[in-house]
Amino acid sequence: MLLSLEPRGQESRPMLWLSPLLAAVLTLVSGMLLFTLLGHDPLETLHTLLIAPVSDWYGVSELLVKALPILLCALGLAVAYQARIWNIGAEGQLLIGALAGSAMALQLIDWESRWALAWVVLAGTCAGAAWAGLTAWLRTQFNANEILTSIMLNYIALNLLLFFVHGPLKDPAGFNFPESAMFGDASRLPLVSEDGRLHGGLYLALLALVAVWVLLHKSFLGFQIKVLGLDKRAAGFVGFREKRLVWFALLVSGALAGMAGVGEVAGPIGQLVPQVSPGYGYAAITVAFLGRLNPLGIVVASLLMALLYLGGENAQMSLNLPQAITQLFQGMMLFYLLACDVLILYRPRLKWKWAKHERLAEATT
């Protein structure tokens, strides 16, 4: 018996949406097998990983806190990826947004006006856009590969943040810990509820969600972005400006990632620390594809990824599992998603060897 893949001729629309679900199921099955090999009860471990973290309202609010930066980064990446502009630098853009927003918050630490928060969010958002603008400039002026440039800028952004948090922005009264002073109340995102840490970044994320949906599905600019992604030459023939679209897509992508970064420092953290992000920008890449570059699909995928982060922390404390369990599940999910996506264009077929031999015998007789 042989398994072969036959071209479908066109994309399978059902498989386009079933592929992420199949990838999630395969990830769970592989996780259960892994937990069994590690000597843990697979059902108990999955309960600890996926259900226990959201068993009460506080857990749900923590899930949303984790999901907000991932959602913002993934929405920005979806805009770029629709144009086949492969921005891998959301992590660096998030960190630069956090750094710039923190620098502004520390300058306005004595302000009591709510305009302080507006300036902080604006600084972080613009800084993220400017950092992505470096990738756009290198792409449009020197035809540099945006995958390489954006991922290398991530490391530069991380080291810039470490330099400032250990140097110019370090709290002089912080007992030499690498952290800034706490932001003023006027520079902090207000809490949505007193029962958890869910903050006003939720409204920014909802606003971004609506804006990206309108951009991609209801605007002529979004149509140009999609055409550029489908066929660059066709976009040029009808007069769509490639360089301008590249700049726009990357600036939007960077701005949303920068907003995610400033939302972290002005929200649950309240100061600049080296551990601003546990890898939200990288996780957003998986989320964007898992959500099929659709804003509503990205919301669901963001919640799932946030659950893996929250459950990983819970499993580490409750079951003494390694911290890398979250990254392991992310990697498995991406691997299975890429594997299942093959079924969008190809149809699996089982072929029996004996049938082939019979046909060969008939042909010779």
Side-chain angles (χ1 to χ4, degrees):
M1 183 177 64
L2 295 174
L3 177 64
S4 63
L5 295 174
E6 294 182 356
R8 293 181 183 271
Q10 61 181 1
E11 285 188 353
S12 170
R13 296 296 299 177
M15 201 62 218
L16 188 65
W17 294 102
L18 287 175
S19 176
L21 297 178
L22 182 58
V25 171
L26 290 173
T27 301
L28 289 178
V29 172
S30 299
M32 292 176 68
L33 178 60
L34 175 65
F35 296 144
T36 302
L37 294 175
L38 292 175
H40 294 277
D41 184 338
L43 294 179
E44 178 187 351
T45 307
L46 283 180
H47 182 274
T48 303
L49 190 69
L50 302 177
I51 298 176
V54 289
S55 57
D56 53 20
W57 165 246
Y58 181 82
V60 173
S61 68
E62 283 297 300
L63 176 70
L64 294 175
V65 169
K66 292 282 187 185
L68 291 179
I70 301 173
L71 174 62
L72 285 169
C73 289
L75 287 172
L77 292 178
V79 175
Y81 292 169
Q82 287 279 10
R84 296 297 187 269
I85 300 167
W86 306 115
N87 177 20
I88 313 297
E91 180 74 5
Q93 293 145 22
L94 181 152
L95 296 177
I96 288 296
L99 175 59
S102 299
M104 179 64 72
L106 294 175
Q107 294 299 316
L108 308 178
I109 200 168
D110 295 325
W111 279 32
E112 297 182 358
S113 169
R114 269 302 174 187
W115 281 105
L117 177 60
W119 281 110
V120 169
V121 173
L122 182 62
T125 304
C126 291
W131 200 250
L134 291 176
T135 299
W137 178 67
L138 292 170
R139 158 79 183 262
T140 55
Q141 294 298 316
F142 303 102
N143 199 29
N145 187 293
E146 69 273 14
I147 297 176
L148 297 177
T149 55
S150 60
I151 199 169
M152 287 190 292
L153 284 169
N154 287 344
Y155 299 103
I156 298 174
L158 175 60
N159 283 283
L160 278 174
L161 185 145
L162 292 176
F163 167 76
F164 278 97
V165 80
H166 283 86
L169 298 183
K170 186 168 71 172
D171 184 7
F175 303 100
N176 208 33
F177 285 103
E179 58 187 23
S180 74
M182 296 296 296
F183 299 167
D185 291 339
S187 300
R188 298 283 304 274
L189 288 165
L191 293 176
V192 173
S193 169
E194 296 182 357
D195 296 334
R197 297 194 304 154
L198 185 60
H199 53 82
L202 174 66
Y203 306 124
L204 296 177
L206 292 176
L207 180 63
L209 175 65
V210 174
V212 170
W213 185 84
V214 171
L215 169 67
L216 293 179
H217 296 281
K218 297 296 181 180
S219 72
F220 181 62
L221 186 57
F223 174 73
Q224 294 181 61
I225 289 173
K226 291 181 178 179
V227 172
L228 178 65
L230 292 172
D231 193 327
K232 186 189 302 185
R233 294 182 62 190
F237 287 149
V238 295
F240 298 165
R241 292 184 168 182
E242 179 188 354
K243 289 186 177 180
R244 186 164 63 180
L245 291 174
V246 169
W247 271 97
F248 176 80
L250 281 170
L251 288 178
V252 169
S253 185
L256 291 177
M259 185 183 294
V262 74
E264 285 298 286
V265 293
I269 301 176
Q271 61 181 158
L272 182 64
V273 294
Q275 305 83 15
V276 172
S277 167
Y280 292 141
Y282 295 115
I285 299 172
T286 303
V287 166
F289 286 109
L290 197 62
R292 290 299 179 229
L293 305 184
N294 182 290
L296 298 180
I298 287 173
V299 171
V300 177
S302 298
L303 292 172
L304 175 60
M305 190 63 68
L307 182 58
L308 290 179
Y309 273 109
L310 204 60
E313 295 173 359
N314 193 38
Q316 184 184 4
M317 293 183 292
S318 302
L319 303 175
N320 200 28
L321 286 173
Q323 186 178 5
I325 195 70
T326 302
Q327 286 75 21
L328 179 61
F329 266 79
Q330 290 177 15
M332 286 195 298
M333 185 170 294
L334 181 58
F335 172 79
Y336 283 126
L337 179 64
L338 295 174
C340 294
D341 278 355
V342 174
L343 301 178
I344 298 173
L345 296 175
Y346 294 89
R347 181 184 295 107
R349 291 292 189 190
L350 288 175
K351 294 184 179 180
W352 300 90
K353 289 184 178 181
W354 60 267
K356 180 178 179 181
H357 290 316
E358 278 191 359
R359 290 194 299 268
L360 183 61
E362 291 176 0
T364 54
T365 57

